[in-house]
């Protein structure tokens, strides 16, 4: 039953993204013949379902923490700014994927990436999803919201990917978005992915302020591992 739940868990957001991409492309009559979109959705669905099932089987605590809602209970003291940020981020994701489809199908603000660049984009999607799932597996406290996890024995995770950068999940997702834009045929959307970087950095500021104040040892960890998303750079 747990594995079945794990296989199904990633599907709702993928279905929403599929609807946004294909309905927007449909405005230009490309929905059913947009091969790159169908390949993208199949790859993301396959990787996400596989990663989710592996987490459920091998890292059940990590899987469970990712199933929490986007708004934590009042008792868990989620900062209001995080609640607002989560919904802003979700709105940006949907708008961005709609722009990807619109630009690839009709606007064509910039020349489309060539086959080699597009293939590199798909490779970036695969690596990004893999990095994100490995990061979740290595951190049983990688909840989708910022909130009090002291009852669960939250501690600083400083091994694996977390020994390289402090926020490997976010790094993987940023790579995913840039790769998705390139594979789907929009340099303009790849540039627009800077919006994800800005919002991610803003969330890191909020998250780390909370962790420094509430998680013993996080300040020392941040001094040892200086990179947030890229080692020694960012």
């Amino acid at each position: 039953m747990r594995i079945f739940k794990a296989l199904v868990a990633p599907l709702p957001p993928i279905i929403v993204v599929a609807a946004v991409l294909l309905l927007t492309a449909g405005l230009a009559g490309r929905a059913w013949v947009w091969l790159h979109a169908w390949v993208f959705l199949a790859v993301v669905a396959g990787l996400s379902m596989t990663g989710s099932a592996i987490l459920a089987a091998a890292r059940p605590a990590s899987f469970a923490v990712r199933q929490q809602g986007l708004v934590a209970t009042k008792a868990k003291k989620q900062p209001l700014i995080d609640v607002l940020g989560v919904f802003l981020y979700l709105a940006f994701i949907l708008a961005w994927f709609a722009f990807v489809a619109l630009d690839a199908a009709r606007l064509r603000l910039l020349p489309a990436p060539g086959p080699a660049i597009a293939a590199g984009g798909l490779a970036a999607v695969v690596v990004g999803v893999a990095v994100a799932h490995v990061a979740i597996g290595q951190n049983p406290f990688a909840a989708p919201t910022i909130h009090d996890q002291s009852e669960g024995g939250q501690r600083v995770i400083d091994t694996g990917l977390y020994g390289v950068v402090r926020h490997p999940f976010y790094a993987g997702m940023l790579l995913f978005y840039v790769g998705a834009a390139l594979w789907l045929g929009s340099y303009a959307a790849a540039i627009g992915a800077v919006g994800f970087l800005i919002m991610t950095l803003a969330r890191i500021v909020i998250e780390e302020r909370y962790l420094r104040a509430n998680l013993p040892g996080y300040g020392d960890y941040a001094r040892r591992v200086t990179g947030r998303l890229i080692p020694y750079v960012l």
Side-chain angles (χ1 to χ4, degrees):
M1 185 65 182
R2 186 201 305 166
I3 299 302
F4 176 77
K5 180 180 178 181
L7 291 171
V8 172
L11 293 181
I14 293 172
I15 290 171
V16 171
V17 168
V20 170
L21 275 176
L22 298 177
L23 288 175
T24 305
L27 296 176
R30 283 196 57 186
W32 303 112
V33 296
W34 192 9
L35 179 61
H36 277 215
W38 289 102
V39 170
F40 168 76
L41 292 168
V43 168
V44 172
L47 289 173
S48 298
M49 293 171 71
T50 301
S52 183
I54 292 172
L55 285 175
R59 295 286 190 274
S62 294
F63 173 75
V65 80
R66 293 303 298 180
Q67 304 314 302
Q68 298 176 9
L70 296 178
V71 178
T73 62
K74 187 175 181 180
K76 293 184 177 179
K77 304 174 184 176
Q78 181 184 11
L80 177 60
I81 192 170
D82 185 55
V83 178
L84 298 175
V86 166
F87 285 102
L88 178 63
Y89 190 83
L90 292 176
F92 186 82
I93 289 174
L94 296 180
W96 183 82
F97 272 112
F99 174 74
V100 171
L102 190 61
D103 186 53
R106 178 171 294 182
L107 297 178
R108 299 182 180 130
L109 297 178
L110 294 170
I117 299 297
L122 186 61
V125 167
V126 172
V127 173
V129 173
V131 167
H133 278 86
V134 170
I136 293 170
Q138 293 177 345
N139 185 358
F141 309 105
T145 60
I146 301 169
H147 64 268
D148 182 11
Q149 298 188 67
S150 57
E151 287 187 1
Q154 185 178 15
R155 65 188 186 282
V156 173
I157 304 298
D158 59 0
T159 56
L161 294 180
Y162 292 87
V164 181
V165 293
R166 301 201 297 271
H167 300 277
F169 174 82
Y170 296 153
M173 291 309 299
L174 290 171
L175 184 62
F176 166 83
Y177 291 123
V178 174
L182 296 177
W183 171 251
L184 293 171
S186 176
Y187 274 124
I191 295 171
V194 170
F196 289 113
L197 175 61
I198 292 171
M199 286 191 289
T200 296
L201 290 173
R203 190 168 203 239
I204 286 174
V205 169
I206 297 167
E207 185 173 339
E208 293 203 331
R209 184 181 300 157
Y210 184 92
L211 292 172
R212 289 175 191 271
N214 296 279
L215 184 59
Y218 192 85
D220 291 336
Y221 165 66
R223 284 187 286 272
R224 293 195 313 273
V225 180
T226 57
R228 298 177 180 87
L229 300 166
I230 303 174
Y232 310 110
V233 177
L234 179 62

